[in-house]
Amino acid sequence: MLVAKNDAIVKTDSPVKGIKMFKNPTIRSRLISTFALMIVLMLCISGVGLYKLRGADAELESMYSQAVFAQRMANRIRTRLADCRMQVALALQHDPASQMAKLHNHPLSVNLETIATDLKDVDGAVEILQKTDMPQNLQKTLESAITASDDFVANGLDPALESLKAGRFNTAGAVLVNRMNPRYEAIDKINRGLNDGIFKLAQDMRSR
């Protein structure tokens, strides 16, 4: 490059030096570029990790909610079956030979309809629990509860209802004491185990 210097035209290589400086950055600029790149990479890694962590938290929260809902369904089975037994006991008071029959302000059909509603709720809760993802040990407990519930209804509750509808209150009372009560105690023990197991599962999900 030609420039004026001391009233004379001389050649200079300044641009060439500038280009060389641009092409050969200093150690300081290299370090700055390296650190900047490292910071960008760390931010990207942190962002990905945070995204995965939030996803895991959301998944655990969903699993916890499902466990809590499953516990509600297990409780529903217990309470509805207990109410079935109580409704049979209350229905016995409608025996015309009993002094208690005069104290009731509703017909026997009210008790029978309540039992039908209870059984419908039990079936609905069982269906939901069967579709719920749970550990194998709880699945086995659920299967045992379903088997015991079917036995309670088929060999205890149904015969009692048949006797009540036919007006055989003494027979219904005998079925309640000798067939329903023992089966209810067995199924309630299983349902307590199912309920406690699901509760523990929910607590484990919550503590993760």
Side-chain angles (χ1 to χ4, degrees):
M1 180 178 180
L2 300 178
V3 296
K5 186 177 182 180
N6 297 328
D7 297 328
I9 303 300
V10 297
K11 183 182 289 185
T12 177
D13 58 353
S14 296
V16 176
K17 291 182 179 180
I19 294 174
K20 288 183 178 180
M21 290 177 63
F22 182 78
K23 291 184 177 180
N24 300 286
T26 63
I27 295 177
R28 179 180 179 184
S29 63
R30 289 181 179 179
L31 289 174
I32 292 175
S33 299
T34 302
F35 284 134
L37 179 60
M38 290 177 63
I39 291 173
V40 172
L41 289 175
M42 290 176 64
L43 289 175
C44 291
I45 294 173
S46 299
V48 172
L50 182 60
Y51 175 79
K52 290 183 176 180
L53 183 61
R54 288 180 176 177
D57 286 343
E59 184 178 357
L60 285 175
E61 187 64 28
S62 176
M63 294 172 64
Y64 171 75
S65 299
Q66 291 180 15
V68 171
F69 184 70
Q71 186 188 12
R72 286 176 53 194
M73 294 300 99
N75 276 327
R76 180 173 296 179
I77 294 174
R78 286 191 66 195
T79 57
R80 298 304 189 271
L81 290 178
D83 189 54
C84 285
R85 185 175 68 155
M86 184 181 69
Q87 291 299 325
V88 170
L90 292 174
L92 293 176
Q93 298 176 5
H94 287 276
D95 184 354
S98 171
Q99 295 294 326
M100 297 295 297
K102 301 177 182 180
L103 301 178
H104 285 281
N105 59 358
H106 63 269
L108 174 63
S109 60
V110 172
N111 302 103
L112 301 181
E113 290 171 0
T114 301
I115 292 173
T117 300
D118 287 338
L119 292 178
K120 185 177 180 180
D121 289 345
V122 169
D123 290 340
V126 168
E127 183 178 357
I128 291 174
L129 287 176
Q130 288 177 321
K131 296 179 181 178
T132 302
D133 186 19
M134 61 179 66
Q136 187 174 3
N137 64 315
L138 290 181
Q139 290 179 355
K140 291 182 178 180
T141 304
L142 175 60
E143 292 173 1
S144 298
I146 294 173
T147 300
S149 177
D150 291 342
D151 179 58
F152 171 79
V153 173
N155 298 307
L157 182 59
D158 283 348
L161 293 178
E162 182 180 352
S163 296
L164 289 171
K165 293 175 182 178
R168 300 192 300 268
F169 291 93
N170 289 335
T171 303
V175 172
L176 172 64
V177 173
N178 298 321
R179 299 172 66 176
M180 286 186 64
N181 286 346
R183 285 175 169 81
Y184 174 79
E185 292 176 2
I187 190 175
D188 192 58
K189 182 178 180 180
I190 298 174
N191 282 332
R192 282 202 306 270
L194 178 64
N195 189 18
D196 293 344
I198 296 176
F199 176 77
K200 185 177 183 303
L201 177 65
Q203 293 302 310
D204 290 343
M205 294 294 179
R206 195 63 170 176
S207 61
R208 290 182 183 180

